[in-house]
Amino acid sequence: MKRIVFLLFGFAILLIVSCSDKDELALSPNPNAPIDSVGVLTTINAFSNLSFSNPLDLQSPDDESNRIFVAEKDGIIKSFSSESEVGEVSTFLDISDRIATESELGLLGFTFHPEFSTNGFLYAVYTPNEELAVISRFKVSENDLDIVDMSSETILLEIPQPDTNHNGGQLAFGPDGYLYIASGDGGGSGDPNGNAQNLENLLGKILRIDVNTTDTGLNYAIPADNPFVEVENARGEIYAYGLRNPWRFSFDVATNTIWAGDVGQGEKEEINLIEKGGNYGWNILEGTSCFLEDDCDTANTMAPIYEYGHEENDRSVTGGYVYRGSSLPSLQGLYVYGDFVSGRIWALDVNGNNKLIVDTDLAISSFGTDANDEFYICAFDGSIYQLTTEMEEQP
């Protein structure tokens, strides 16, 4: 999560070619998305009758219900119809009585099982106290499919946290059916314990687990083709490493590539394309610059597809999504992301061409998509926004 503790209640929020061996797809530019054709856009309040408390994540299940779910930092997931005029929300999950929320702690992210419509499973990552992050499975109630059975929680994974910041928090299922998990470096300035480069722990990593089966002693299984399964003194759950705080990552639903926004230390924010087994350099590097010393060994590290500095008050990247909706054809195939502090939003292509598409005053905590792959923006003013052309008036 983000590290800018002086902003908005003292809370700061803050991608890889990723496929299983059986689902390998090539990363290639989208010929239908020339970045120069993207015009200036603006934001509109997508649900002007609704308001949320510090919204951190937005997800939609593949269940034909056309519902949108928003997680609030304090531990509540709310659901509502995707119609713009909707005026009511329902409480889907409430774990506010079992989490710590100071600093960057809280309900950090959630996702639905690909077979949610039949098994009712969802997964959440949250901090029950200052020293731990947990990834848990919940199940909807047998008697009411609009609420979670609070007694159904199964803790899958516990990740010790040395500090109260840099907890990561994104969960997403890949096209291979495995659950991918973003974990920050554990906090502190400069990764003082070297966690991100240490394969013996789960901090500063993208993790990959199989939630549909179990290994002995675990509530999940480790995929046999994870890159460090056969490496001595390495955790088998690790998919990629060397990340500082990959607060938000996402799969491009058309190409299966994973894009991650990794929050920088004091000089650079970066966008990564995560590869299986990839080392993204932190804390040897911050972006493409040596971090700990003037001259550093960059062998076997992966450079970001794009990085930006802090000159324009851009200080904390919030990773987004490759746009695959239909309402904004000029964005088709482009990765759209923003900055929590400056509120600016950009479009980026796979060749590293980047373009500013809207300058807002929003504290952008997260992005999300609905069942039609349309794009939403979560902001700390309590509203959920969408992108539109400047000519379109806000309702």
Side-chain angles (χ1 to χ4, degrees), residues 10 18 22 32 40-41 106 125 129 135 138 176 178 186 188 201 207 214 219 230 255 263 289 297 310 348 358 366 391:
S18 169
K22 61 188 177 185
N32 299 318
V40 176
L41 304 176
V125 54
N129 54 60
I135 293 87
F138 294 87
D176 49 22
Y178 297 136
N201 69 47
L207 313 176
T214 59
N219 285 330
E230 302 297 333
T255 67
V263 181
S289 300
D297 182 4
H310 292 180
L348 175 67
V358 59
S366 194
M391 290 77 74

Side-chain angles (χ1 to χ4, degrees), residues 210-281:
D210 182 355
V211 298
N212 296 313
T213 186
T214 59
D215 288 338
T216 301
L218 301 174
N219 285 330
Y220 59 90
I222 297 174
D225 65 337
N226 272 10
F228 302 104
V229 166
E230 302 297 333
V231 177
E232 187 176 1
N233 298 322
R235 291 291 298 263
E237 296 93 337
I238 297 170
Y239 188 81
Y241 67 107
L243 297 158
R244 183 175 180 272
N245 194 20
W247 165 240
R248 288 293 176 246
F249 74 85
S250 63
F251 284 88
D252 177 359
V253 298
T255 67
N256 294 345
T257 54
I258 304 174
W259 296 70
D262 193 17
V263 181
Q265 176 73 37
E267 296 184 1
K268 292 185 177 181
E269 309 298 309
E270 60 186 90
I271 304 296
N272 292 300
L273 292 173
I274 307 299
E275 295 185 9
K276 182 193 294 186
N279 177 3
Y280 291 85

Side-chain angles (χ1 to χ4, degrees), residues 3 30 347 354:
R3 67 195 187 297
N30 186 330
N354 192 68

